[in-house]
Amino acid sequence: MLRLDGIHRSYGDRLVLDDVNFGVERGRLTGFVGGNGAGKTTTMRIILGVLTPDSGEVTMDGRPLDAEGRRAFGYMPEERGLYPKMRVAEQLTYLARLHGYDRGVADRRARELLESLDLGERADDNLEDLSLGNQQRVQIAASLVHDPEVLILDEPFSGLDPMAVDTVVGVLTERAARGVPVLFSSHQLDVVERLCDDVVVIAGGQVRAAGGREELRERYAEPRYEISSAGDMGWLRAEPGVQVVDFAGGWALFDADEETAQRVVRTAISQAPLLEFTPVRPTLAEIFRDIVRDESETSGTAAGEAPAPDLNEQHETIEEPVR
């Protein structure tokens, strides 16, 4: 397991990471989510040894990480850092050779990886001749070409269309199935929800929640129900213990404890035929908003903390056409 314990980091007088603790287990995909400025990239750079924490420790399987151990890591930064005028396969081959592969093996690995990412036909094109979405996939290939033992990805799905997202998800899932710990950050919470086994939520430099996806649902979700009746449900607004979230005539979405919800059902049946009653599972975006809002209300917004992202905003995921 990759583990962070007691990580603190400041820039001057500004505390950026405050007692960060979480683990990334082998064979599991861990989503790292938070608003801009929450501390995700700083945390990743500390894992990689690019930055040094003021205090705390990063370990792998219980042993402190050193430069040699980190050579086995694969990393994709949010900013593109490859050579635009260099051929794609040649570039990946070069990176694999830096990790000790001979030219023949390195070239074969590069081309096989490009095929798995649906870029085989572009292997001998210059990077700058690819669309931005395809360049993003090459960045992902660069993090994988040396067969890393740990994978750290910063916004890997940025700029990818839905088909490309599915392709990348398949590659990452295959790596996790081999026992590789995979940590990635993303603002696209629908992708995180679909892909991840575990989720770490960070805000204001502090880990607000960490655990399995379903565990977080159970821990943080408010009991919510959907009800539909042949009659008007307007009476529900006055029911004690009920908070109506949304309402439209004979349909309502409401929060209540289990006992109150059952009372609502009995009342609805007594007034008109009941068409539907079901618990509603919260999305990761809803849980994220609730966690960050509750922490802010409890402790106040941390100094220097950026606001959480607008999760109702539709993030752009359309890939440019291939030229």
Side-chain angles (χ1 to χ4, degrees):
M1 173 192 285
L2 175 68
R3 175 121 204 115
L4 292 83
D5 289 295
I7 300 295
H8 291 80
R9 171 73 192 200
S10 297
Y11 293 118
D13 294 333
R14 185 164 67 94
L15 182 61
V16 178
L17 297 179
D18 183 8
D19 195 27
V20 169
N21 301 273
F22 67 88
V24 184
E25 294 188 26
R26 288 188 177 276
R28 293 176 71 84
L29 294 155
T30 300
F32 194 27
V33 300
N36 293 328
K40 301 187 301 297
T41 297
T42 297
T43 301
M44 289 181 165
R45 288 174 176 171
I46 287 174
I47 292 172
L48 294 159
V50 176
L51 294 175
T52 303
D54 298 330
S55 61
E57 188 176 43
V58 182
T59 58
M60 185 68 197
D61 295 333
R63 297 185 298 274
L65 273 171
D66 55 17
E68 185 60 30
R70 288 183 168 100
R71 280 181 56 81
F73 282 29
Y75 174 54
M76 195 206 84
E78 185 175 7
E79 306 84 6
R80 292 185 174 90
L82 300 178
Y83 302 107
K85 296 186 181 298
M86 194 173 182
R87 292 179 180 177
V88 171
E90 181 183 0
Q91 194 155 182
L92 296 180
T93 298
Y94 169 72
L95 294 173
R97 294 195 70 195
L98 290 178
H99 284 272
Y101 291 93
D102 64 42
R103 179 176 293 277
V105 173
D107 183 68
R108 185 177 73 251
R109 290 188 59 81
R111 292 180 183 276
E112 288 176 350
L113 190 52
L114 290 171
E115 287 288 347
S116 71
L117 289 165
D118 292 340
L119 289 174
E121 295 181 354
R122 310 306 301 271
D124 295 314
D125 292 348
N126 289 346
L127 183 69
E128 65 181 359
D129 293 331
L130 273 59
S131 69
L132 293 179
N134 281 343
Q135 289 182 29
Q136 182 78 348
R137 279 189 271 180
V138 176
Q139 286 276 162
I140 294 168
S143 71
L144 294 167
V145 72
H146 59 292
D147 198 19
E149 295 179 7
V150 178
L151 196 53
I152 311 291
L153 307 171
D154 200 350
E155 294 291 339
F157 303 108
S158 176
L160 299 184
D161 66 26
M163 292 291 289
V165 168
D166 287 344
T167 298
V168 172
V169 165
V171 171
L172 297 184
T173 301
E174 185 270 334
R175 293 289 167 147
R178 297 186 195 176
V180 174
V182 180
L183 176 71
F184 74 90
S185 69
S186 180
H187 284 101
Q188 295 165 248
L189 297 189
D190 58 330
V191 176
V192 175
E193 185 158 26
R194 176 162 57 95
L195 175 59
C196 284
D197 304 297
D198 302 310
V199 180
V200 177
V201 178
I202 188 169
Q206 296 179 330
V207 172
R208 310 295 195 186
R213 180 182 54 194
E214 299 306 317
E215 175 192 345
L216 292 185
R217 277 201 176 113
E218 292 294 326
R219 190 190 313 167
Y220 291 98
E222 293 292 332
R224 180 163 292 180
Y225 303 90
E226 182 178 359
I227 190 167
S228 179
S229 171
D232 188 275
M233 294 287 298
W235 55 267
L236 186 60
R237 299 178 187 274
E239 281 292 301
V242 172
Q243 180 178 352
V244 176
V245 177
D246 200 0
F247 175 80
W251 172 89
L253 185 68
F254 68 96
D255 294 339
D257 60 37
E258 185 176 352
E259 182 178 347
T260 302
Q262 293 301 320
R263 189 185 74 230
V264 167
V265 170
R266 291 193 296 270
T267 303
I269 291 173
S270 71
Q271 297 194 16
L274 183 67
L275 304 179
E276 182 182 20
F277 174 75
T278 183
V280 176
R281 293 174 61 81
T283 66
L284 180 59
E286 290 169 334
I287 293 173
F288 178 92
R289 278 195 297 265
D290 288 344
I291 291 172
V292 173
R293 182 182 63 242
D294 290 347
E295 290 288 342
S296 296
E297 291 173 352
T298 300
S299 59
T301 302
E305 179 182 344
D310 180 2
L311 300 179
N312 291 317
E313 176 185 350
Q314 296 298 313
H315 293 278
E316 182 62 48
T317 59
I318 303 302
E319 183 175 337
E320 292 182 354
V322 177
R323 296 191 291 269

